[in-house]
Amino acid sequence: MTLRVVAHLTAKADRIDETREVLLSLVERTRAEQGCIVYELLGNKADPTDFTFVEEWTDEDALSAHLESDHIRNLVSKADDLLAAPSDIRRYTLLA
């Protein structure tokens, strides 16, 4: 059974464009990672500070490797400057 992840991030109001660019830069590299099935970045039409990744991974090992990748470490190093709050990352299994 695959692992689903929903990661919600809120940009600082004065860093929306920079945050969007950093998040977009993750997409192609992450989609090329072993074990990545789905990796989509959503932007809230009503709130430009609101970004959400919807992800599907083959297993925990693939997700763990992703979280240790250079591009995710780069995001983490910039998070305090870009994000208004800590990321809300939740892991799910498909029930139906």
Side-chain angles (χ1 to χ4, degrees), residues 3-7 30 36-40 52-57 63 66-67 72 89 92:
L3 175 64
R4 310 284 177 104
V5 177
V6 177
T30 298
C36 179
I37 299 168
V38 174
Y39 196 77
E40 299 174 321
T52 301
F53 282 105
V54 177
E55 311 171 24
E56 185 175 2
W57 297 91
L63 177 59
H66 166 66
L67 295 174
I72 294 300
I89 302 172
Y92 298 89

Side-chain angles (χ1 to χ4, degrees), residues 23-82:
L23 298 180
L24 284 170
S25 76
L26 302 176
V27 174
E28 187 175 327
R29 287 182 264 181
T30 298
R31 287 178 177 167
E33 291 177 32
Q34 185 171 349
C36 179
I37 299 168
V38 174
Y39 196 77
E40 299 174 321
L41 175 60
L42 308 176
N44 185 329
K45 291 178 77 169
D47 179 359
T49 67
D50 180 12
F51 297 94
T52 301
F53 282 105
V54 177
E55 311 171 24
E56 185 175 2
W57 297 91
T58 54
D59 54 32
E60 286 282 348
D61 290 341
L63 177 59
S64 292
H66 166 66
L67 295 174
E68 293 298 320
S69 67
D70 288 341
H71 48 280
I72 294 300
R73 286 182 186 204
N74 181 49
L75 171 62
V76 170
S77 74
K78 295 178 179 181
D80 287 343
D81 292 334
L82 299 176

